[in-house]
Each structure stands twice: as C-alpha cells, then as structure tokens.
Amino acid sequence: MHKILMVIRREYLERVKKKSFWIGVLVFPVIMTLLIGGSIMLMAVNPEEQRRVAVIDATGKVLEPLRKELEDRKLKDGTPEYVFEAAAVQGSLEETQKGLEARVNKKDLFGILVVGENVDAKDNNRFYTKNVGNIIVLNRIESALQKAVVAMRVEKMHLALD
C-alpha cells in the first residue's frame, strides 16, 4: 500500500511541476466563462423585426387566443411584434404545411404553427421554422399556445372559473 501511495505522489508532483498544467488551470476557466457569457449575450440580442406566423388551425379556436395573448408585444415603432395569419386547411394538415414551407424558406413567414383537431393528443401541435436558435421567441409562442389550449380544455370540460 505504501508503494502505491509513493507512486501516486510522484506522478502528482510531476504533473503539477509542468508549466502546461498551470497554463491549463488558468486558461480553461477563462475560456469557459467567455463561451458561456458569449452565448448568454447572443441570446439576449433580439433584433427588432416583425414575425409573421401562419396558423393552420384544425380546431378553429386557437388563432384568436394566440393573437390576444401576444397583442401587447410591440416593436419600438408601435407595430405588433407577432402577426398571426390564418391558413386555410387544404387537404390534410401536412399538405397545407408543405404548401407554406416555401414562404418560410423565402423568409416571408417566420414560421408555421400547426394545431390538430384533438387538443388532448400529445403530438397535436407542431411549429416549423428555419430559426430554431431563437429560444425566446419560440418560448413566447409556446406559452401563448399553451394558454389557448388550456382555455379550450376548460371550455370542453364545461368548467366555470371565476
């Protein structure tokens, strides 16, 4: 046991005496701080632009609550930050989405929100966009959609809430 401890001590001291060890110990935290801080700063930068979202709503009840939830979000010039436009279902929901994807690729639309008929289904809602890195915008839309779906579920269960 004593020999093992001596070998461990010798290996440790050899590593600590090297200049590369100390450079790594000092430089690694600085690099990590810059990487994490840089990503946080990039997420905080939110360009002032209007985002148009096409809503394919099979229920017909989600579009208006979405508009109401996000209508108070305005750009500096007073125009709404989010503009939701209704997209008529042509064939299936997937076919309608495929038809609108060209507008997303041309950056005419920020994204396409697809809401299926069954609000209780797990994979009922989908959001298609080219900019999946904008987490703040995606969270806002998701939160507004969640509130609209909860309101629909309450209405469906005939609950009277004060």
Side-chain angles (χ1 to χ4, degrees):
M1 181 69 175
H2 179 68
K3 290 181 182 181
I4 293 174
L5 290 174
M6 287 177 58
V7 170
I8 291 174
R9 180 175 182 258
R10 185 183 63 84
E11 288 293 324
Y12 172 75
L13 290 176
E14 267 191 41
R15 302 263 190 250
V16 171
K17 287 180 184 176
K18 289 185 178 182
K19 196 184 298 186
S20 61
F21 172 80
W22 289 106
I23 291 172
V25 165
L26 297 175
V27 170
F28 181 73
V30 172
I31 291 173
M32 289 305 294
T33 303
L34 289 175
L35 287 174
I36 292 171
S39 7
I40 290 172
M41 286 177 24
L42 284 176
M43 278 182 26
V45 173
N46 192 11
E48 288 286 320
E49 65 183 40
Q50 193 173 51
R51 293 176 176 89
R52 299 183 67 76
V53 177
V55 180
I56 305 170
D57 185 7
T59 64
K61 298 179 181 179
V62 172
L63 183 60
E64 284 309 312
L66 271 174
R67 283 184 179 148
K68 287 180 184 173
E69 185 67 31
L70 294 172
E71 71 184 356
D72 58 339
R73 301 217 44 100
K74 305 276 187 205
L75 300 175
K76 290 179 183 174
D77 62 358
T79 59
E81 185 177 350
Y82 300 96
V83 176
F84 293 100
E85 63 180 57
V89 178
Q90 300 166 349
S92 70
L93 295 175
E94 289 79 18
E95 291 171 358
T96 308
Q97 178 183 340
K98 291 287 183 197
L100 291 170
E101 286 177 6
R103 289 181 62 195
V104 174
N105 291 335
K106 290 189 299 188
K107 297 187 179 180
D108 182 33
L109 289 174
F110 175 75
I112 304 166
L113 178 61
V114 181
V115 180
E117 291 180 16
N118 185 6
V119 293
D120 295 324
K122 181 178 180 181
D123 295 329
N124 187 50
N125 309 318
R126 294 185 308 272
F127 189 71
Y128 175 81
T129 184
K130 285 290 186 184
N131 189 359
V132 293
N134 199 335
I135 297 170
I136 296 170
V137 172
L138 296 176
N139 283 341
R140 283 185 192 141
I141 293 173
E142 180 183 9
S143 174
L145 178 63
Q146 186 177 22
K147 288 178 183 177
V149 168
V150 167
M152 287 176 57
R153 287 179 179 162
V154 167
E155 179 184 317
K156 184 179 175 181
M157 294 189 305
H158 305 293
L159 293 176
L161 298 175
D162 295 336

